[in-house]
Amino acid sequence: QVQLVESGGGLVQAGDSLRLSCAGSGRTFSSYYMGWFRQAPGKEREFVAAISWSGGSTYYADSVKGRFTISRDNAKNTVYLQMNRVKPEDTAVYYCAATPGDYDDPLQYDYWGQGTQVTVSS
């Protein structure tokens, strides 16, 4: 069974930092973009960040650019999301995913984790 498992979520205060991890198993995600999405209550799932296989290209939603950093360790089959200077509006369930296609199109992601809750208090 191929799976992605997120971890690292929790309750933090505005301005704090948090690092999410996503560990893959069942396959190596060679040539895949790895992405992070989030979904807040009552809102549509939205793209957060993505990273190419080599790690040489990264992409961010405007709402997190300059605050969040995505990285990956292919030897560990793991992708990370470093969240700095978090805001209450960052509160959401965060999902990691993998796609061989367009990084910003959720319909092209083949694999999804079950999500980890991030709650930012004001």
Side-chain angles (χ1 to χ4, degrees):
Q1 180 78 16
V2 176
Q3 64 178 24
L4 299 171
V5 180
E6 302 94 337
S7 62
L11 175 63
V12 295
Q13 296 187 61
D16 283 354
S17 294
L18 195 67
R19 189 178 78 157
L20 307 183
S21 299
C22 174
S25 63
R27 68 162 293 161
T28 299
F29 293 97
S30 179
S31 300
Y32 276 64
Y33 283 97
M34 298 297 298
W36 287 94
F37 292 77
R38 67 187 182 186
Q39 188 164 21
K43 294 187 178 296
E44 196 77 19
R45 180 173 52 184
E46 65 174 341
F47 170 77
V48 176
I51 185 168
S52 64
W53 163 249
S54 68
S57 298
T58 57
Y59 308 90
Y60 298 94
D62 288 342
S63 59
V64 306
K65 194 172 298 182
R67 299 189 298 119
F68 292 7
T69 302
I70 189 171
S71 61
R72 69 192 295 171
D73 185 340
N74 291 334
K76 297 180 179 179
N77 215 25
T78 300
V79 62
Y80 305 94
L81 185 69
Q82 178 67 42
M83 306 168 63
N84 294 330
R85 294 179 283 120
V86 296
K87 304 175 180 179
E89 51 262 45
D90 294 323
T91 295
V93 176
Y94 283 72
Y95 301 91
C96 68
T99 179
D102 292 343
Y103 67 86
D104 59 349
D105 184 359
L107 296 179
Q108 296 192 38
Y109 280 78
D110 293 338
Y111 305 103
W112 292 84
Q114 293 302 303
T116 185
Q117 176 71 49
V118 173
T119 303
V120 182
S121 63
S122 59

